[in-house]
PDB file of all heavy atoms in Angstrom:
ATOM      1  N   GLY A 216       4.968  18.940   2.650  1.00 93.00           N
ATOM      2  CA  GLY A 216       5.493  20.116   2.369  1.00 93.00           C
ATOM      3  C   GLY A 216       7.059  20.327   2.511  1.00 93.00           C
ATOM      4  O   GLY A 216       7.695  21.380   2.422  1.00 93.00           O
ATOM      5  N   TYR A 217       7.708  19.118   2.702  1.00 93.00           N
ATOM      6  CA  TYR A 217       9.190  19.163   3.047  1.00 93.00           C
ATOM      7  C   TYR A 217       9.947  19.683   1.888  1.00 93.00           C
ATOM      8  O   TYR A 217      10.815  20.447   2.006  1.00 93.00           O
ATOM      9  CB  TYR A 217       9.626  17.639   3.288  1.00 93.00           C
ATOM     10  CG  TYR A 217      11.059  17.434   3.365  1.00 93.00           C
ATOM     11  CD1 TYR A 217      11.746  17.708   4.606  1.00 93.00           C
ATOM     12  CD2 TYR A 217      11.776  16.934   2.231  1.00 93.00           C
ATOM     13  CE1 TYR A 217      13.116  17.416   4.591  1.00 93.00           C
ATOM     14  CE2 TYR A 217      13.163  16.698   2.345  1.00 93.00           C
ATOM     15  CZ  TYR A 217      13.884  16.965   3.444  1.00 93.00           C
ATOM     16  OH  TYR A 217      15.151  16.733   3.568  1.00 93.00           O
ATOM     17  N   SER A 218       9.530  19.335   0.573  1.00 93.00           N
ATOM     18  CA  SER A 218      10.199  19.788  -0.576  1.00 93.00           C
ATOM     19  C   SER A 218       9.205  19.767  -1.696  1.00 93.00           C
ATOM     20  O   SER A 218       8.701  18.654  -2.017  1.00 93.00           O
ATOM     21  CB  SER A 218      11.447  18.885  -0.854  1.00 93.00           C
ATOM     22  OG  SER A 218      11.889  19.056  -2.236  1.00 93.00           O
ATOM     23  N   ASP A 219       9.096  20.897  -2.398  1.00 94.00           N
ATOM     24  CA  ASP A 219       8.188  20.897  -3.556  1.00 94.00           C
ATOM     25  C   ASP A 219       8.723  19.935  -4.687  1.00 94.00           C
ATOM     26  O   ASP A 219       7.931  19.313  -5.431  1.00 94.00           O
ATOM     27  CB  ASP A 219       8.046  22.335  -4.148  1.00 94.00           C
ATOM     28  CG  ASP A 219       7.234  23.264  -3.134  1.00 94.00           C
ATOM     29  OD1 ASP A 219       6.593  22.731  -2.362  1.00 94.00           O
ATOM     30  OD2 ASP A 219       7.336  24.476  -3.372  1.00 94.00           O
ATOM     31  N   ALA A 220      10.039  19.960  -4.849  1.00 93.00           N
ATOM     32  CA  ALA A 220      10.549  19.099  -5.872  1.00 93.00           C
ATOM     33  C   ALA A 220      10.421  17.615  -5.591  1.00 93.00           C
ATOM     34  O   ALA A 220      10.057  16.957  -6.532  1.00 93.00           O
ATOM     35  CB  ALA A 220      12.163  19.445  -5.918  1.00 93.00           C
ATOM     36  N   ILE A 221      10.605  17.107  -4.334  1.00 94.00           N
ATOM     37  CA  ILE A 221      10.346  15.773  -4.050  1.00 94.00           C
ATOM     38  C   ILE A 221       8.916  15.327  -4.162  1.00 94.00           C
ATOM     39  O   ILE A 221       8.511  14.453  -4.726  1.00 94.00           O
ATOM     40  CB  ILE A 221      10.937  15.458  -2.666  1.00 94.00           C
ATOM     41  CG1 ILE A 221      12.462  15.600  -2.634  1.00 94.00           C
ATOM     42  CG2 ILE A 221      10.387  14.149  -2.139  1.00 94.00           C
ATOM     43  CD1 ILE A 221      13.100  15.321  -1.220  1.00 94.00           C
ATOM     44  N   LEU A 222       7.929  16.319  -3.731  1.00 96.00           N
ATOM     45  CA  LEU A 222       6.566  16.049  -3.824  1.00 96.00           C
ATOM     46  C   LEU A 222       6.233  15.951  -5.354  1.00 96.00           C
ATOM     47  O   LEU A 222       5.321  15.046  -5.622  1.00 96.00           O
ATOM     48  CB  LEU A 222       5.752  17.149  -3.173  1.00 96.00           C
ATOM     49  CG  LEU A 222       4.256  17.066  -3.364  1.00 96.00           C
ATOM     50  CD1 LEU A 222       3.741  15.699  -2.750  1.00 96.00           C
ATOM     51  CD2 LEU A 222       3.598  18.326  -2.661  1.00 96.00           C
ATOM     52  N   GLU A 223       6.687  16.803  -6.135  1.00 96.00           N
ATOM     53  CA  GLU A 223       6.324  16.750  -7.562  1.00 96.00           C
ATOM     54  C   GLU A 223       6.718  15.323  -8.114  1.00 96.00           C
ATOM     55  O   GLU A 223       6.088  14.789  -8.912  1.00 96.00           O
ATOM     56  CB  GLU A 223       7.031  17.867  -8.284  1.00 96.00           C
ATOM     57  CG  GLU A 223       6.736  17.863  -9.747  1.00 96.00           C
ATOM     58  CD  GLU A 223       7.486  18.990 -10.603  1.00 96.00           C
ATOM     59  OE1 GLU A 223       8.044  19.917  -9.883  1.00 96.00           O
ATOM     60  OE2 GLU A 223       7.359  19.076 -11.735  1.00 96.00           O
ATOM     61  N   ARG A 224       7.886  14.780  -7.802  1.00 95.00           N
ATOM     62  CA  ARG A 224       8.306  13.525  -8.230  1.00 95.00           C
ATOM     63  C   ARG A 224       7.382  12.421  -7.783  1.00 95.00           C
ATOM     64  O   ARG A 224       7.006  11.582  -8.603  1.00 95.00           O
ATOM     65  CB  ARG A 224       9.776  13.173  -7.727  1.00 95.00           C
ATOM     66  CG  ARG A 224      10.835  14.079  -8.398  1.00 95.00           C
ATOM     67  CD  ARG A 224      12.154  13.868  -7.768  1.00 95.00           C
ATOM     68  NE  ARG A 224      12.676  12.576  -8.123  1.00 95.00           N
ATOM     69  CZ  ARG A 224      13.514  11.852  -7.386  1.00 95.00           C
ATOM     70  NH1 ARG A 224      13.973  12.349  -6.168  1.00 95.00           N
ATOM     71  NH2 ARG A 224      14.044  10.711  -7.715  1.00 95.00           N
ATOM     72  N   TYR A 225       6.936  12.497  -6.536  1.00 97.00           N
ATOM     73  CA  TYR A 225       6.026  11.409  -6.101  1.00 97.00           C
ATOM     74  C   TYR A 225       4.631  11.503  -6.813  1.00 97.00           C
ATOM     75  O   TYR A 225       4.103  10.549  -7.143  1.00 97.00           O
ATOM     76  CB  TYR A 225       5.838  11.588  -4.553  1.00 97.00           C
ATOM     77  CG  TYR A 225       6.844  10.898  -3.725  1.00 97.00           C
ATOM     78  CD1 TYR A 225       7.976  11.482  -3.378  1.00 97.00           C
ATOM     79  CD2 TYR A 225       6.704   9.510  -3.328  1.00 97.00           C
ATOM     80  CE1 TYR A 225       8.961  10.816  -2.688  1.00 97.00           C
ATOM     81  CE2 TYR A 225       7.631   8.958  -2.540  1.00 97.00           C
ATOM     82  CZ  TYR A 225       8.792   9.592  -2.231  1.00 97.00           C
ATOM     83  OH  TYR A 225       9.708   8.951  -1.518  1.00 97.00           O
ATOM     84  N   GLU A 226       4.194  12.719  -7.053  1.00 98.00           N
ATOM     85  CA  GLU A 226       2.995  12.910  -7.780  1.00 98.00           C
ATOM     86  C   GLU A 226       3.161  12.360  -9.229  1.00 98.00           C
ATOM     87  O   GLU A 226       2.074  11.768  -9.689  1.00 98.00           O
ATOM     88  CB  GLU A 226       2.636  14.414  -7.807  1.00 98.00           C
ATOM     89  CG  GLU A 226       2.227  14.993  -6.505  1.00 98.00           C
ATOM     90  CD  GLU A 226       2.036  16.467  -6.566  1.00 98.00           C
ATOM     91  OE1 GLU A 226       2.636  17.231  -7.342  1.00 98.00           O
ATOM     92  OE2 GLU A 226       1.169  16.985  -5.759  1.00 98.00           O
ATOM     93  N   LYS A 227       4.272  12.618  -9.759  1.00 97.00           N
ATOM     94  CA  LYS A 227       4.469  11.985 -11.154  1.00 97.00           C
ATOM     95  C   LYS A 227       4.390  10.436 -11.057  1.00 97.00           C
ATOM     96  O   LYS A 227       3.825   9.840 -11.975  1.00 97.00           O
ATOM     97  CB  LYS A 227       5.704  12.480 -11.752  1.00 97.00           C
ATOM     98  CG  LYS A 227       5.653  13.985 -12.201  1.00 97.00           C
ATOM     99  CD  LYS A 227       6.987  14.442 -12.806  1.00 97.00           C
ATOM    100  CE  LYS A 227       6.756  16.028 -13.293  1.00 97.00           C
ATOM    101  NZ  LYS A 227       8.207  16.372 -13.779  1.00 97.00           N
ATOM    102  N   TRP A 228       5.114   9.882 -10.191  1.00 97.00           N
ATOM    103  CA  TRP A 228       5.098   8.448 -10.127  1.00 97.00           C
ATOM    104  C   TRP A 228       3.675   7.887  -9.818  1.00 97.00           C
ATOM    105  O   TRP A 228       3.345   6.932 -10.464  1.00 97.00           O
ATOM    106  CB  TRP A 228       6.086   8.006  -8.861  1.00 97.00           C
ATOM    107  CG  TRP A 228       7.539   8.181  -9.280  1.00 97.00           C
ATOM    108  CD1 TRP A 228       8.183   7.913 -10.415  1.00 97.00           C
ATOM    109  CD2 TRP A 228       8.622   8.552  -8.274  1.00 97.00           C
ATOM    110  NE1 TRP A 228       9.576   8.277 -10.332  1.00 97.00           N
ATOM    111  CE2 TRP A 228       9.756   8.585  -8.940  1.00 97.00           C
ATOM    112  CE3 TRP A 228       8.540   8.951  -6.957  1.00 97.00           C
ATOM    113  CZ2 TRP A 228      10.965   8.944  -8.408  1.00 97.00           C
ATOM    114  CZ3 TRP A 228       9.697   9.235  -6.349  1.00 97.00           C
ATOM    115  CH2 TRP A 228      10.956   9.283  -7.120  1.00 97.00           C
ATOM    116  N   TRP A 229       3.043   8.398  -8.870  1.00 98.00           N
ATOM    117  CA  TRP A 229       1.694   8.029  -8.668  1.00 98.00           C
ATOM    118  C   TRP A 229       0.752   8.105  -9.774  1.00 98.00           C
ATOM    119  O   TRP A 229      -0.008   7.204 -10.043  1.00 98.00           O
ATOM    120  CB  TRP A 229       1.203   8.657  -7.351  1.00 98.00           C
ATOM    121  CG  TRP A 229       1.864   8.386  -6.046  1.00 98.00           C
ATOM    122  CD1 TRP A 229       2.578   7.209  -5.746  1.00 98.00           C
ATOM    123  CD2 TRP A 229       1.869   9.164  -4.839  1.00 98.00           C
ATOM    124  NE1 TRP A 229       3.100   7.293  -4.552  1.00 98.00           N
ATOM    125  CE2 TRP A 229       2.714   8.471  -3.940  1.00 98.00           C
ATOM    126  CE3 TRP A 229       1.494  10.540  -4.488  1.00 98.00           C
ATOM    127  CZ2 TRP A 229       3.014   9.000  -2.642  1.00 98.00           C
ATOM    128  CZ3 TRP A 229       1.740  10.978  -3.229  1.00 98.00           C
ATOM    129  CH2 TRP A 229       2.522  10.273  -2.302  1.00 98.00           C
ATOM    130  N   THR A 230       0.781   9.231 -10.361  1.00 98.00           N
ATOM    131  CA  THR A 230      -0.028   9.519 -11.579  1.00 98.00           C
ATOM    132  C   THR A 230       0.208   8.540 -12.669  1.00 98.00           C
ATOM    133  O   THR A 230      -0.591   7.940 -13.295  1.00 98.00           O
ATOM    134  CB  THR A 230       0.110  10.896 -12.185  1.00 98.00           C
ATOM    135  OG1 THR A 230      -0.178  11.862 -10.999  1.00 98.00           O
ATOM    136  CG2 THR A 230      -0.719  11.150 -13.328  1.00 98.00           C
TER     137      THR A 230
END
Side-chain angles (χ1 to χ4, degrees):
Y217 171 83
S218 162
D219 290 342
I221 289 178
L222 175 59
E223 182 179 353
R224 292 175 67 206
Y225 276 86
E226 290 175 331
K227 287 181 177 178
W228 287 323
W229 292 335
T230 301

